[in-house]
Amino acid sequence: MNHLLKAMSFWVWGLIAIGLSVSMVSVSYRLVGLYRAHEIEVHADSGPAVGSRALTGLPNSKNKPTAALIDSQGIWSGKPMISRILAGDIRAAQQAMRDNQWSEALKDLQAASTKSPLTAYDLKTIEEWTGIAYVRLNNFKAAQTAYEAALATGDYKTEELAKVFRLLFQLATVNKQEVKAIEYGVRATAAGAAGENDLMIISQLYYQQKDCTNSGIWGDKAIAAFKDAGEPPKEVLYQLKLQCASNVNDTTGMKAALYDLIRLTNKTSYWNNLLRLERQDARDEHNALMIYRVMFDTHSMNADTDYIEMAQLLGDAGLPGEAQAVLEKAMSSGVLKDEHKERTARLLNALETRADADMKGLPALDAEASKNPAGQLDTKLGQLYYGAGDYEGAVTALSRGISKGHLSQPDEAYISLGRSLAAEKDAAGAKQAFARLKSLNNISPHVLKLWSLYSDMIPEKVSEPL
């Protein structure tokens, strides 16, 4: 078990590293968009207007200040307003920003910062515009410093702080200042400014701080937010849960995360790891075979020893035809190791002989089963038809046997019927057959949960087996 968990841990971390990288890159793209929106809003709502020329979002010809608000120096005197001593530098910075001359704007803003005395609003305006200019120059560290200085002036209104915290959260994230990013992200969330992607990144940041408890808490918030927005949660959120569980050998937590990942992505890699974990807990050959069947049907079987063991279990269960199909799949898929080829060939030859004998005896068995008032022979007949690839015959025999009752292993009958209907492209019928497993008292809870998951993942219109 420990070897399996360690192997899975390395595999999961590789996925998470990719997920984190993609998320952090996406932050920089969203950051630029957020800054542009904030740039317009700052200028429209609280930025100082100078003269008759304005940045995008400032009062224009369609929303022009009245003459009473403009003094003799051409400064917009609506409240709040900058000090008169900044007029020239701010006017020059404003023009440079309009012309996309961001370096020139920074020089003008630096000159403005040397004037005295400056009000808190003056300082906030200078630092805010400086932050905008640095973002336009892709200097996110300097932009963060500028916005932190603007925040330190204490001049932001309560309704403005939410957007500022979110800006600083994203800047700190891009700048890999994880502790600060978490602090700003939490404050942005409390102010109602964090979106589902922000919540996801907070979860990732906590994970990078080796704080799995808070990573899980914020991951759950992000998952709920994505669902509320009508979007599927991001895969990395469940990968983080999986890795955190793996770190402490929490197999129950790992299984829960893998179930969620399968529901989200239906990837064979997740199926494989889930089924390997479940197989560790299989207490008898019957349940082990059931787990192998799920692995085989989900195309997640990737080790030759799994194919060989599954074939042996099927042979022992008196189903050589299905066992033959499993080994033939192993040989055609190229997974067989050289040291196992001779043994597999001998096993396959023996199974072929037995399968041929079963095929010849099918008509007689069918006649005998039809007359028998109990359904056990029909179930056996249906499984043999399934192994032979006659799914229509399998459905007929299995349905007949189930209707008669008196089955020693009813879970075998329902699962075989569901698999046969899925192979016949009857998704609705397959789902109904698997659903009837829930009414059985003697079925393994692990087996029931796996086949229920398998059933849920069958598309409504089956183009090929799952």
Side-chain angles (χ1 to χ4, degrees):
M1 172 65 80
N2 287 336
H3 176 73
L4 172 61
L5 293 177
K6 287 180 181 179
M8 287 182 65
S9 179
F10 286 119
W11 170 78
V12 174
W13 170 246
L15 294 177
I16 291 176
I18 294 171
L20 290 173
S21 175
V22 170
S23 295
M24 297 313 174
V25 169
S26 70
V27 169
S28 63
Y29 284 106
R30 290 198 302 275
L31 178 63
V32 173
L34 183 57
Y35 255 96
R36 287 173 179 166
H38 189 237
E39 175 186 332
I40 292 172
E41 182 170 329
V42 163
H43 295 164
D45 294 342
S46 60
V50 182
S52 60
R53 306 179 67 140
L55 285 172
T56 302
L58 285 172
N60 54 36
S61 59
K62 294 182 180 180
N63 186 22
K64 186 176 181 180
T66 64
L69 295 176
I70 303 177
D71 65 16
S72 59
Q73 300 297 318
I75 308 298
W76 182 33
S77 57
K79 293 182 179 181
M81 65 181 181
I82 61 169
S83 302
R84 290 178 181 276
I85 60 172
L86 299 183
D89 294 318
I90 289 296
R91 183 183 291 110
Q94 192 177 47
Q95 182 60 53
M97 293 172 81
R98 287 191 65 209
D99 296 337
N100 290 323
Q101 300 296 320
W102 303 104
S103 295
E104 290 300 315
L106 285 172
K107 292 178 182 178
D108 296 324
L109 292 167
Q110 177 61 34
S113 70
T114 64
K115 300 295 175 64
S116 180
L118 297 176
T119 67
Y121 182 76
D122 294 335
L123 292 170
K124 184 191 79 168
T125 299
I126 291 169
E127 296 297 349
E128 208 168 50
W129 286 25
T130 298
I132 291 170
Y134 274 126
V135 146
R136 293 298 191 134
L137 293 170
N138 293 321
N139 188 340
F140 296 143
K141 288 184 178 180
Q144 180 180 339
T145 299
Y147 259 90
E148 286 177 335
L151 181 64
T153 66
D155 198 61
Y156 280 108
K157 300 175 184 176
T158 301
E159 60 269 22
E160 296 174 321
L161 286 173
K163 292 184 175 64
V164 175
F165 288 144
R166 187 169 184 236
L167 282 168
L168 284 168
F169 158 64
Q170 296 201 343
L171 279 168
T173 300
V174 171
N175 293 330
K176 298 182 179 180
Q177 297 181 21
E178 296 169 4
V179 175
K180 275 192 172 183
I182 290 171
E183 177 189 348
Y184 289 131
V186 171
R187 296 178 77 176
T189 303
E196 54 269 20
N197 285 297
D198 300 319
L199 299 173
M200 175 181 69
I201 292 167
I202 294 173
S203 173
Q204 294 171 321
L205 291 169
Y206 271 119
Y207 175 83
Q208 290 177 313
Q209 291 293 304
K210 303 186 185 304
D211 185 347
C212 276
T213 299
N214 275 309
S215 177
I217 291 171
W218 286 87
D220 288 339
K221 291 181 180 180
I223 290 168
F226 276 111
K227 291 180 178 178
D228 288 344
E231 298 180 30
K234 302 301 181 184
E235 187 175 355
V236 71
L237 288 166
Y238 297 114
Q239 290 173 345
L240 292 171
K241 290 178 177 288
L242 177 58
Q243 184 63 56
C244 283
S246 176
N247 290 346
V248 293
N249 291 344
D250 176 8
T251 55
T252 300
M254 292 178 70
K255 288 178 184 180
L258 286 165
Y259 269 96
D260 287 331
L261 283 163
I262 291 169
R263 291 187 186 282
L264 182 67
T265 70
N266 202 26
K267 289 182 178 178
T268 57
S269 55
Y270 296 133
W271 272 111
N272 181 275
N273 282 282
L274 172 63
L275 293 165
R276 287 184 182 282
L277 287 173
E278 292 289 7
R279 192 182 61 186
Q280 301 292 327
D281 297 328
R283 301 304 179 195
D284 56 52
E285 292 185 351
H286 175 73
N287 289 335
L289 177 56
M290 288 296 191
I291 292 170
Y292 273 128
R293 280 170 163 163
V294 178
M295 187 179 286
F296 186 81
D297 288 1
T298 56
H299 312 291
S300 58
M301 189 173 283
N302 56 17
D304 62 348
T305 51
D306 291 333
Y307 284 99
I308 294 169
E309 185 174 351
M310 181 179 178
Q312 289 174 327
L313 289 173
L314 286 166
D316 293 343
L319 301 171
E322 186 179 348
Q324 177 185 341
V326 168
L327 286 187
E328 288 174 344
K329 177 67 177 297
M331 299 181 76
S332 65
S333 63
V335 300
L336 277 179
K337 295 180 180 179
D338 290 341
E339 59 265 32
H340 296 153
K341 286 183 178 179
E342 182 178 349
R343 171 192 171 195
T344 303
R346 290 199 304 270
L347 179 58
L348 179 59
N349 286 334
L351 290 169
E352 286 176 342
T353 300
R354 292 173 57 191
D356 287 343
D358 282 346
M359 283 291 294
K360 293 177 181 177
L362 280 177
L365 180 60
D366 197 334
E368 182 182 357
S370 297
K371 298 175 183 178
N372 196 305
Q376 191 60 41
L377 280 180
D378 293 292
T379 298
K380 179 70 173 181
L381 176 66
Q383 291 179 309
L384 292 176
Y385 275 129
Y386 180 90
D390 183 354
Y391 305 121
E392 183 178 358
V395 169
T396 300
L398 289 162
S399 298
R400 187 174 64 203
I402 290 170
S403 65
K404 290 180 181 178
H406 305 290
L407 305 176
S408 61
Q409 292 180 319
D411 57 334
E412 281 274 3
Y414 287 126
I415 288 170
S416 296
L417 178 60
R419 296 177 77 204
S420 300
L421 288 165
E424 281 282 284
K425 312 298 187 293
D426 183 355
K431 288 176 180 288
Q432 290 175 2
F434 289 125
R436 295 178 71 179
L437 290 170
K438 298 175 183 178
S439 64
L440 302 180
N441 296 323
N442 60 345
I443 188 171
S444 160
H446 296 288
V447 171
L448 173 59
K449 193 172 181 180
L450 284 173
W451 282 109
S452 295
L453 178 63
Y454 174 86
S455 176
D456 290 343
M457 302 313 297
I458 297 176
E460 291 301 325
K461 293 183 179 179
V462 181
S463 58
E464 60 180 30
L466 180 69

